[in-house]
Amino acid sequence: MSQKLEENSQVEISLPQLEEGGSARPLMPVPGTGPGSGDGGGTDPPQDQDGAANGTGNGTVAVSAVERETWTRQMDFIMSCVGFAVGLGNVWRFPYLCYKNGGGVFLIPYLLIAFVGGIPVFFLEIALGQFMKQGGVCAWNIAPLFKGLGLASMVIVFFCDTYYIMILVWGLYFLLNSFNNPLPWATCGNQWNTPNCTQDFRRACHNHSAVQSSSTDAPSDLVSTVSPLNLSSAHFFLNGSCVEAEGMRSPVIEFWERKVLRLSSGLHEPGDISYEMVLCLLATWIIVYFCIWKGVKSTGKVVYFTALFPYLILVVLFVHGVSLPGALDGIIYYLKPDWSKLAEAQVWIDAGTQVFFTYAIGLGALTALGSYNRFHNNCYQDAFLLALINSGTSFFAGFVVFSVLGFMAAEQGVDISKVAESGPGLAFIAYPKAVTLMPLAPLWAALFFFMLLVLGLDSQFVGVEGLITGIMDMLPPKSILGSLRREVVAAVCCVIWFLIDLSMVTQGGMYVFQLFDYYSASGITLLWQAFWECVVIAWVYGADRFMDDVARMIGYQPLPYMKWCWAYITPSVCVAVFLFHTVNYKPLTYNTVYTYPLWGEAFGWAFALSSMLCIPLTVIYKLLRTKGSLRERWQRLTTPVWGRHHMEYLAPESEAKLLPPAGAKNNLLFESVI
């Protein structure tokens, strides 16, 4: 099998004239095909993965299709999905939401929305990629009028890959500094510290209560509004430091603000570039590139380490955490149920938002990963397994986090609510502060930040893999661009991302980072994407029809609740959460004092609309470009464009209609991006 990632089908056949009404004939199994035969149902790779035929028996010769690369082992796919979907949000966001929204009670709305919202869309994206054998854009040839869905997902994942890498850059910087003893954020007296730096937390706690986050006299605590992905967000309160109100500051806060970020006064003041951060950024992109440059053959090998190693470190941190004094109080605080919270709308909104983000829905990467599956892989079973792993990881991470927060609260003599953090506030403030109170602090700091780095790394490079797959599938096969090697395309993309990221390693870089996080891959954009995915599959292509297609791949019909979710429940959930976010929208602020200027917000909305408008604009463009009445245009543009591998599963009498007669010009040799 070719090591180079290639276009699955260089020749795609449109079926607008198969029947009187212009609709495509449903796919039908042919004798001898089914699970365990034909397309790789066994352990050996199929001889003709894409179903290219040498002849049809009626004198018409099919054009050979280039074989699409598949996973070496099916476990490669499972590990890649685990690595992509299980990320930082599981570790630093879910535990905080659980404690905030009623402890163990939060699991009720979380699991309910996961069952009717997260799993159905997760399964839809994987199954779509496996059925169409295409990445995030060309997979929507199943309903060409809505190919803008693929473009929108490409835009979102491009933005996400652009700024998510900064989490890894900061994690790498903290990891490198973890090999110092004492830890640089554990003491005052460094060149970046101010005279107001103090590390005597216990004395301060006895003299004063925690500083209120709303006080303008409080230290600059990196408070920001909660962004849905919670990457730059939320709860950068100095609640747990117990410093005195008269301007005293924690050394970990000063290390983060003055050494790592070197914060300027605002977005309008970018300042100079940190060359230490540039080196970390360069190193991180080089690692990402060599993880994905050879396609799924290299990704499938690397992901075994990047997906499994964080679990090993989580177990080690858990065993160490529960042995610390105060850990039990922290775990009780994490799980203590508050049944009254179920009556609050915010709890359900938080559950829905968390499910859609941690399941990595709407980014197109799951579709790309599924496209490398063998046609008869049981993607239905895989979807439930991956959902269980994802949610289980989130729940287990809560024990790791709150055992340590309980210890920190006991050491400082404060309530756990004063030290509970999420997002980077947990990763770069609360947890680093906690390890300074432990014996062998450098060891635990290094383990934690290495886990953070690896946990984010697989999410990053699988996201990059999804974008590269989409680009390679879109390149015209017989053009100069189509002849480019995958390694070259991946290198060009990584260089572009690196150049954009230079804006985030300046003194104003955190403001740029938060702008990307708050708008480009926000709740509004991903919920909009998930809504249209369900609508197109359920109401344009047909939920029953897609269920039949899935049955041809896996050998049996999935539970009917899947099509009910696609048609009714999941779109309703998306609309409800979308409207809640829209109605409760607040202008972006940072540090409770700095409000983004109007031109900064305009940039943010441009990021959001650049993906959201792809869908309606593509629909309008295609309808205007196509000739005929509106009904004829609709029928033509919603007729699927099948790949050559689908021919194996069409009724024999339909094959002659699929293949153009000898010497005739193909109806559609290449579907352009638009």
Side-chain angles (χ1 to χ4, degrees):
M1 185 172 295
S2 172
Q3 294 294 314
K4 188 169 83 170
L5 186 64
E6 294 284 358
E7 175 80 22
N8 169 49
S9 175
Q10 306 289 16
V11 179
E12 293 176 321
I13 308 298
S14 181
L15 308 178
Q17 294 94 11
L18 276 186
E19 296 179 359
E20 181 77 22
S23 60
R25 178 184 292 272
L27 294 183
M28 299 177 61
V30 297
T33 64
S37 66
D39 203 38
T43 56
D44 295 330
Q47 293 182 352
D48 191 355
Q49 180 67 29
D50 292 326
N54 293 324
T56 64
N58 60 1
T60 304
V61 178
V63 180
S64 298
V66 178
E67 188 178 31
R68 187 176 185 84
E69 194 175 18
T70 58
W71 301 105
T72 304
R73 293 171 295 275
Q74 195 54 37
M75 187 56 66
D76 296 357
F77 167 70
I78 299 294
M79 289 293 102
S80 294
C81 287
V82 168
F84 180 62
V86 177
L88 299 173
N90 301 73
V91 174
W92 72 16
R93 178 65 172 159
F94 178 85
Y96 177 83
L97 287 179
C98 199
Y99 120 81
K100 171 191 167 188
N101 292 311
V105 171
F106 181 69
L107 294 176
I108 296 175
Y110 176 82
L111 293 176
L112 182 61
I113 294 177
F115 191 71
V116 301
I119 296 176
V121 183
F122 190 89
F123 169 57
L124 184 153
E125 293 192 1
I126 292 175
L128 178 65
Q130 180 172 315
F131 180 67
M132 295 300 292
K133 291 290 182 188
Q134 295 286 357
V137 176
C138 293
W140 290 103
N141 279 333
I142 200 169
L145 179 61
F146 294 92
K147 207 166 182 180
L149 270 167
L151 296 177
S153 67
M154 293 275 283
V155 173
I156 295 173
V157 80
F158 174 82
F159 285 138
C160 208
D161 290 340
T162 299
Y163 74 88
Y164 191 90
I165 195 83
M166 289 307 302
I167 303 292
L168 310 184
V169 173
W170 295 329
L172 178 60
Y173 188 77
F174 269 85
L175 175 63
L176 296 176
N177 281 277
S178 297
F179 296 102
N180 296 317
N181 192 15
L183 295 170
W185 58 83
T187 61
C188 298
N190 301 291
Q191 60 179 1
W192 58 83
N193 291 126
T194 65
N196 292 332
C197 179
T198 180
Q199 59 196 81
D200 192 357
F201 299 117
R202 188 173 291 277
R203 178 184 62 82
C205 289
H206 285 306
N207 292 337
H208 294 273
S209 61
V211 180
Q212 296 297 318
S213 63
S214 60
S215 172
T216 57
D217 294 328
S220 179
D221 300 328
L222 298 179
V223 183
S224 67
T225 56
V226 181
S227 72
L229 280 181
N230 203 53
L231 295 179
S232 68
S233 71
H235 316 290
F236 277 71
F237 299 103
L238 194 52
N239 290 341
S241 65
C242 299
V243 296
E244 297 188 26
E246 291 80 8
M248 303 307 292
R249 311 193 68 199
S250 162
V252 69
I253 288 286
E254 293 205 338
F255 180 80
W256 170 244
E257 280 187 344
R258 298 175 60 83
K259 178 63 174 174
V260 179
L261 299 181
R262 304 177 308 122
L263 278 174
S264 67
S265 60
L267 188 63
H268 63 282
E269 186 183 338
D272 60 349
I273 291 178
S274 170
Y275 292 101
E276 291 179 326
M277 288 299 171
V278 170
L279 292 177
C280 290
L281 177 65
L282 179 62
T284 309
W285 271 119
I286 290 174
I287 293 172
V288 170
Y289 174 74
F290 283 107
C291 286
I292 57 95
W293 71 319
K294 289 293 187 182
V296 296
K297 297 302 180 184
S298 59
T299 304
K301 294 179 175 64
V302 175
V303 80
Y304 277 88
F305 173 76
T306 57
L308 295 177
F309 188 73
Y311 286 96
L312 175 62
I313 300 184
L314 275 176
V315 171
V316 172
L317 292 176
F318 170 74
V319 172
H320 175 67
V322 296
S323 68
L324 298 171
L328 181 60
D329 294 333
I331 293 174
I332 292 174
Y333 200 84
Y334 166 52
L335 296 176
K336 184 179 179 181
D338 181 0
W339 295 98
S340 64
K341 290 285 188 179
L342 289 178
E344 298 180 11
Q346 183 64 51
V347 174
W348 294 83
I349 297 301
D350 283 346
T353 304
Q354 178 68 10
V355 166
F356 278 92
F357 290 123
T358 57
Y359 279 48
I361 290 169
L363 300 177
L366 295 175
T367 304
L369 295 177
S371 72
Y372 299 120
N373 283 335
R374 295 184 174 91
F375 192 81
H376 289 301
N377 172 62
N378 194 336
C379 54
Y380 181 62
Q381 176 181 293
D382 291 346
F384 280 96
L385 174 62
L386 290 166
L388 178 63
I389 294 173
N390 195 321
S391 298
T393 302
S394 298
F395 185 64
F396 177 68
F399 291 91
V400 178
V401 170
F402 272 85
S403 62
V404 174
L405 294 182
F407 160 72
M408 188 165 71
E411 285 293 299
Q412 297 181 5
V414 297
D415 188 78
I416 299 175
S417 62
K418 303 299 181 182
V419 299
E421 305 251 6
S422 74
L426 170 68
F428 301 121
I429 296 177
Y431 212 100
K433 189 188 309 174
V435 297
T436 63
L437 306 175
M438 300 178 187
L440 301 175
L443 171 63
W444 300 114
L447 278 177
F448 175 77
F449 286 113
F450 188 61
M451 179 200 70
L452 199 73
L453 183 64
V454 174
L455 199 61
L457 184 62
D458 50 10
S459 296
Q460 177 71 20
F461 72 66
V462 176
V464 172
E465 170 69 41
L467 185 72
I468 301 299
T469 297
I471 293 174
M472 295 298 296
D473 284 346
M474 288 191 300
L475 294 179
K478 295 184 179 180
S479 67
I480 297 177
L481 290 176
S483 64
L484 288 177
R485 293 176 59 87
R486 176 193 172 84
E487 295 90 331
V488 176
V489 175
V492 170
C493 289
C494 289
V495 169
I496 292 173
W497 275 313
F498 174 79
L499 294 176
I500 297 175
D501 288 333
L502 290 178
S503 65
M504 300 184 200
V505 293
T506 62
Q507 289 175 291
M510 189 63 176
Y511 302 107
V512 178
F513 173 87
Q514 188 180 2
L515 201 63
F516 271 86
D517 178 34
Y518 195 82
Y519 290 101
S520 66
S522 66
I524 290 178
T525 56
L526 293 188
L527 290 166
W528 173 267
Q529 182 80 1
F531 169 80
W532 282 108
E533 286 181 3
C534 292
V535 168
V536 170
I537 291 297
W539 296 103
V540 178
Y541 181 75
D544 289 323
R545 188 179 180 186
F546 192 68
M547 291 282 279
D548 291 340
D549 295 338
V550 172
R552 291 182 182 94
M553 292 191 294
I554 67 176
Y556 59 91
Q557 282 276 353
L559 290 173
Y561 109 91
M562 280 292 181
K563 65 179 180 181
W564 300 336
C565 289
W566 295 335
Y568 306 105
I569 302 175
T570 306
S572 300
V573 171
C574 291
V575 169
V577 181
F578 179 91
L579 291 177
F580 182 88
H581 279 296
T582 305
V583 171
N584 291 277
Y585 169 78
K586 296 178 182 178
L588 181 59
T589 61
Y590 189 83
N591 204 21
T592 69
V593 177
Y594 177 73
T595 301
Y596 277 68
L598 289 177
W599 61 268
E601 279 199 81
F603 269 107
W605 278 110
F607 293 153
L609 294 176
S610 63
S611 62
M612 296 174 69
L613 291 180
C614 283
I615 302 170
L617 290 180
T618 304
V619 170
I620 294 171
Y621 176 80
K622 280 178 169 284
L623 287 174
L624 293 176
R625 183 170 173 252
T626 305
K627 297 179 180 180
S629 66
L630 185 60
R631 179 183 179 86
E632 290 170 343
R633 297 180 194 183
W634 175 268
Q635 288 178 338
R636 180 176 179 83
L637 291 173
T638 55
T639 299
V641 179
W642 299 126
R644 301 291 291 191
H645 70 283
H646 289 113
M647 289 180 54
E648 183 178 349
Y649 309 100
L650 289 170
E653 63 270 16
S654 299
E655 289 188 3
K657 298 180 181 180
L658 270 173
L659 295 169
K665 182 179 180 181
N666 285 353
N667 184 44
L668 180 63
L669 289 179
F670 177 75
E671 174 91 351
S672 67
V673 176
I674 300 298

